[in-house]
Amino acid sequence: MWELFKTFFHIGLFTFGGGYAMIPLIESKVVDEKRWIDREMLLDLIAIAQSCPGIFAVNIGIFIGYKLRRTPGALVCALGTSLPSFIIILVIALFFRHFRENEFVDRFFRGLRPAVVALIAAPVFKMGKRANITFQSVWIPVVAALLIWQFGVSPVYVILIAGLSGYAYGQYIKN
Amino acid sequence: MILLYLKIFWTFFKIGLFGFGGGYAMISMIQAEVVSNHGWMTNGEFTDIVAISQSTPGPIGINSATYVGYTSVVNAGYSSLWGTLGSLIATFAVVLPSLILMLAISRFFMKYKNHPAVEHTFMGLRPAVVGLLAAAALLLMNAENFSAPGENPWQFFISVGLFLFAFIGQMVYKMNPVLLLVLCGISGLLLF
């Protein structure tokens, strides 16, 4: 149990840049080093964690924890993955406000902001490729983006409507 | 006070429940809820949070929940101790749906993942998630993050340049995001 916690704490601590960056680390730790699951199982896990809501890395942790030690294992892995970020960000949040007003910090962050927007814009195209968007389906992301951007519709509704329409399309129109 | 905590809990529970498509898609939900819907912080503050989440280790969803939970309580005028409780609540709330769902799904999904109903649902979800991401980027392209030609032309044009630099660096050359952020931050330090 302690091993599980330690392993996922380590994974949470050393991944930069979000979920997908975590895969190689999980692979080397969980598959090669600890031999808790095999590579094929990991691939299935990735597919499941990707198609479930929530945080990718936490989802994978929960799944592996559950497989090894049932519910307590899942809890320990979820905690282990989240704890490093939580501690680090909390410490930053506690102090950041005090020096955000500093002139140099302000200039640094004014340079950062456009880069942040670019880093969010870039994966749009990568994700588009992975979602197999074609000429027939390109209107879906465009309409979704417009609804949220121009009409202030909550992304929650967009997700709900998209899932339900996909389901309805498959059940009633395609067949 | 308790009402604020309840709102934070409910907001992040929803984000965890409907956050398909990874960290960046989740960012668009957090932004819609926290900035546009509740007004707990400004767009500029939110962008700072994303920058910090990207340059610190750990999943972006956890990072931003922790930070937003803290900041929204402190912005409402409470002390940092209450802010810490806010970040604890937000982080717990964002993980909770995964925990419940994944435990249930661990048992059932393997069996049903190729079921046509599940496949069709995801056929609708995947392209919408791409739209979600695009919306997040578009919403952040505003005067608070870029300034405006009429307001501060120098900052505006430099900002657009930095945006293009980071976008191409990431898309074409797959540069490390943390490196890109640091480079743009230093440019800001020197040029603004």
Side-chain angles (χ1 to χ4, degrees):
Chain A
M1 216 51 156
W2 176 239
E3 276 299 306
L4 267 180
F5 179 79
K6 251 185 9 198
T7 306
F8 279 91
F9 189 87
H10 182 99
I11 291 170
L13 187 59
F14 288 104
T15 346
F16 283 87
Y20 298 105
M22 223 165 229
I23 295 173
L25 191 61
I26 293 182
E27 199 178 359
S28 79
K29 274 265 161 196
V30 176
V31 179
D32 298 332
E33 195 180 307
K34 308 275 180 194
R35 298 180 186 284
W36 283 332
I37 57 171
D38 58 25
R39 213 165 296 274
E40 204 164 302
M41 178 83 187
L42 182 67
L43 277 178
D44 281 349
L45 267 184
I46 292 171
I48 296 169
Q50 264 173 339
S51 33
C52 288
I55 294 147
F56 185 66
V58 177
N59 287 352
I60 288 200
I62 291 171
F63 214 111
I64 294 175
Y66 182 81
K67 186 179 173 286
L68 294 173
R69 287 288 156 88
R70 301 291 131 176
T71 309
L75 287 173
V76 161
C77 287
L79 188 69
T81 324
S82 328
L83 206 56
S85 318
F86 179 76
I87 297 169
I88 293 170
I89 294 290
L90 191 61
V91 170
I92 293 177
L94 284 168
F95 296 105
F96 183 66
R97 295 175 70 87
H98 299 298
F99 60 87
R100 181 66 183 88
E101 310 298 316
N102 177 291
E103 196 208 323
F104 295 103
V105 177
D106 182 59
R107 285 199 330 229
F108 189 81
F109 269 85
R110 272 196 285 161
L112 263 188
R113 284 174 174 188
V116 171
V117 181
L119 288 182
I120 295 178
V124 172
F125 299 94
K126 265 188 247 164
M127 295 271 292
K129 238 187 259 167
R130 212 170 27 226
N132 289 323
I133 288 174
T134 57
F135 278 115
Q136 282 104 47
S137 62
V138 76
W139 63 274
I140 301 175
V142 172
V143 169
L146 281 176
L147 282 176
I148 300 169
W149 177 40
Q150 285 301 320
F151 299 98
V153 176
S154 163
V156 174
Y157 296 122
V158 173
I159 285 289
L160 277 176
I161 294 167
L164 286 174
S165 334
Y167 174 77
Y169 173 80
Q171 292 301 96
Y172 305 110
I173 300 174
K174 220 173 123 193
N175 302 328
Chain B
M1 177 85 190
I2 289 173
L3 193 69
L4 179 62
Y5 284 137
L6 284 177
K7 274 188 191 157
I8 289 177
F9 179 84
W10 177 235
T11 302
F12 280 93
F13 187 84
K14 266 198 300 191
I15 290 165
L17 186 60
F18 294 105
F20 286 90
Y24 287 107
M26 214 174 238
I27 284 176
S28 92
M29 285 203 176
I30 299 179
Q31 181 204 33
E33 287 289 333
V34 171
V35 181
S36 317
N37 190 7
H38 291 293
W40 284 331
M41 61 186 61
T42 65
N43 246 315
E45 274 181 296
F46 183 77
T47 316
D48 291 346
I49 290 178
V50 179
I52 291 171
S53 305
Q54 275 170 332
S55 18
T56 48
I60 289 178
I62 302 266
N63 289 346
S64 36
T66 304
Y67 206 119
V68 170
Y70 178 88
T71 309
S72 43
V73 173
V74 173
N75 275 357
Y78 300 105
S79 75
S80 53
L81 195 67
W82 297 115
T84 307
L85 182 59
S87 71
L88 199 62
I89 289 172
T91 312
F92 176 67
V94 87
V95 177
L96 193 60
S98 304
L99 202 58
I100 299 168
L101 275 174
M102 285 300 288
L103 283 179
I105 286 169
S106 306
R107 303 175 193 181
F108 298 111
F109 192 90
M110 288 295 200
K111 231 160 78 190
Y112 294 109
K113 78 176 164 198
N114 295 322
H115 190 280
V118 176
E119 258 178 22
H120 289 137
T121 307
F122 279 105
M123 226 171 63
L125 275 183
R126 282 189 208 111
V129 168
V130 177
L132 232 67
L133 272 180
L138 289 168
L139 280 166
L140 291 174
M141 290 182 194
N142 55 21
E144 206 172 338
N145 290 326
F146 284 78
S147 190
E151 184 188 307
N152 184 345
W154 171 250
Q155 193 190 334
F156 176 75
F157 288 113
I158 298 285
S159 293
V160 171
L162 289 175
F163 171 84
L164 290 175
F165 165 72
F167 186 82
I168 293 167
Q170 169 74 11
M171 269 296 276
V172 184
Y173 299 102
K174 305 197 175 2
M175 283 170 72
N176 180 324
V178 179
L179 178 68
L180 281 174
L181 288 175
V182 171
L183 287 177
C184 290
I186 292 171
S187 319
L189 203 56
L190 297 173
L191 294 169
F192 291 146

